[in-house]
């Protein structure tokens, strides 16, 4: 996870409908009742999207808002003189809602989830790391994930108090709660594995790994390569 537990999928290739996924996510935030400033959209993304997708930077949110407004999918208005600080609020247009509904209801495959787990990359390279330090990293990850789990449960409590319009975000948050519960369980099991490994030491490989890829003839698969 990056930032506060989100996997930052910076895949800005256009998806179905000609817009990148982040643009649809920002437009999706606008599809719920009410107008919101870019700052408010960022706060909501941090309290919802980051648990199952990722939370765009505030600069990217404003960039997508400008794009959506240029396309006619969103509209904005500046606050009046009665406000102590001028601010711009955004709302979805009927054209934007229709485009978002078309994208959300598309038969196009959403694609597989992308997992980038920096901690697992460190564990995979554990033969180069002090065992005690590696266990500390896993313990820190467990504590951080429990903090994320509390944040999700707080968000669920707020969603449960809201109107029926928020029922689908509540479903997504419940999935996030289960995922984080599983992440804690998996990390605790991994910590047990590392502690066991620290007591017994690495097991010798069944076969000698080839010295280098060049030691095998071209096209030959290294059957004894490590995972």
């Amino acid at each position: 996870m990056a930032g506060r537990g989100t996997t930052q999928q910076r895949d800005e290739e256009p998806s179905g409908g000609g817009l990148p996924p982040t643009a649809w996510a920002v437009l999706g935030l606008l599809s719920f009742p009410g107008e919101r400033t870019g700052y408010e959209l960022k706060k909501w993304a941090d309290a919802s999207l980051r648990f199952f997708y990722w939370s765009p930077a505030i600069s990217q949110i404003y960039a997508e808002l400008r794009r959506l407004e240029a396309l006619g999918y969103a509209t904005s208005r500046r606050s009046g003189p009665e406000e102590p600080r001028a601010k711009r609020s955004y709302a979805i247009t009927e054209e934007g809602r229709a485009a978002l509904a078309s994208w959300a209801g598309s038969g196009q495959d959403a694609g597989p989830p992308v997992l980038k787990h920096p901690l697992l990359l460190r564990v995979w390279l554990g033969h180069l790391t002090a065992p005690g330090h590696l266990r500390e990293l896993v313990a820190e990850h467990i504590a951080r994930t429990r903090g994320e789990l509390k944040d999700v449960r707080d968000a669920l409590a707020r969603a449960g108090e809201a109107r029926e319009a928020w029922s689908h975000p509540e479903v997504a948050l419940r999935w996030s709660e289960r995922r984080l519960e599983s992440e804690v369980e998996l990390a605790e099991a991994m910590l047990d594995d590392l502690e066991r490994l620290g007591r017994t030491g690495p097991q010798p490989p069944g076969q000698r790994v080839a010295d280098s890829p060049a030691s095998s003839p071209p096209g030959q698969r290294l059957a004894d390569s490590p995972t």
Side-chain angles (χ1 to χ4, degrees):
M1 301 181 200
R4 296 186 61 196
T6 43
T7 300
Q8 292 196 358
Q9 297 173 315
R10 302 183 187 279
D11 50 338
E12 292 311 306
E13 291 297 322
S15 60
L19 288 175
T22 299
W24 293 118
V26 172
L27 190 60
L29 291 172
L30 290 175
S31 69
F32 293 90
E35 297 181 344
R36 289 176 179 82
T37 65
Y39 175 73
E40 289 169 337
L41 291 173
K42 172 60 177 170
K43 286 183 63 177
W44 191 21
D46 286 345
S48 58
L49 284 178
R50 73 178 176 92
F51 295 123
F52 53 86
Y53 190 61
W54 73 292
S55 181
I58 187 69
S59 59
Q60 188 166 11
I61 286 178
Y62 278 114
E64 295 300 348
L65 287 170
R66 289 191 294 270
R67 186 209 304 257
L68 293 169
E69 195 167 12
L71 289 170
Y73 290 173
T75 185
S76 69
R77 66 175 183 84
R78 288 182 64 85
S79 59
E82 69 279 0
E83 292 284 344
R85 286 185 59 185
K87 59 183 181 180
R88 184 173 293 276
S89 298
Y90 294 83
I92 193 170
T93 64
E94 287 303 316
E95 185 180 358
R97 188 175 296 276
L100 183 63
S102 176
W103 178 79
S106 169
Q108 182 183 8
D109 183 12
V114 177
L115 174 63
K116 292 182 180 179
H117 206 308
L119 177 62
L120 263 294
L121 186 58
R122 298 285 186 89
V123 171
W124 184 67
L125 296 171
H127 59 289
L128 304 175
T129 309
H133 177 62
L134 199 58
R135 291 193 293 270
E136 287 175 6
L137 290 178
V138 177
E140 290 170 2
H141 173 69
I142 292 171
R144 184 169 54 249
T145 305
R146 284 176 174 155
E148 292 285 314
L149 185 55
K150 180 184 182 302
D151 289 345
V152 169
R153 287 169 175 166
D154 289 344
L156 270 169
R158 292 191 297 271
E161 297 169 357
R163 295 172 296 179
E164 186 177 340
W166 311 99
S167 57
H168 286 92
E170 186 176 1
V171 171
L173 287 172
R174 290 202 181 281
W175 177 90
S176 301
E177 180 185 32
R178 298 183 190 107
R179 183 190 68 80
L180 289 167
E181 289 171 342
S182 298
E183 180 68 20
V184 170
E185 183 179 347
L186 289 169
E188 288 175 337
M190 182 166 59
L191 186 58
D192 290 342
D193 288 342
L194 290 171
E195 290 174 346
R196 189 179 305 111
L197 185 62
R199 292 192 301 268
T200 62
Q203 297 300 310
Q207 290 181 309
R208 175 181 172 274
V209 178
D211 292 335
S212 69
S215 63
S216 296
Q220 180 175 330
R221 181 175 178 270
L222 295 177
D224 56 356
S225 293
T227 56

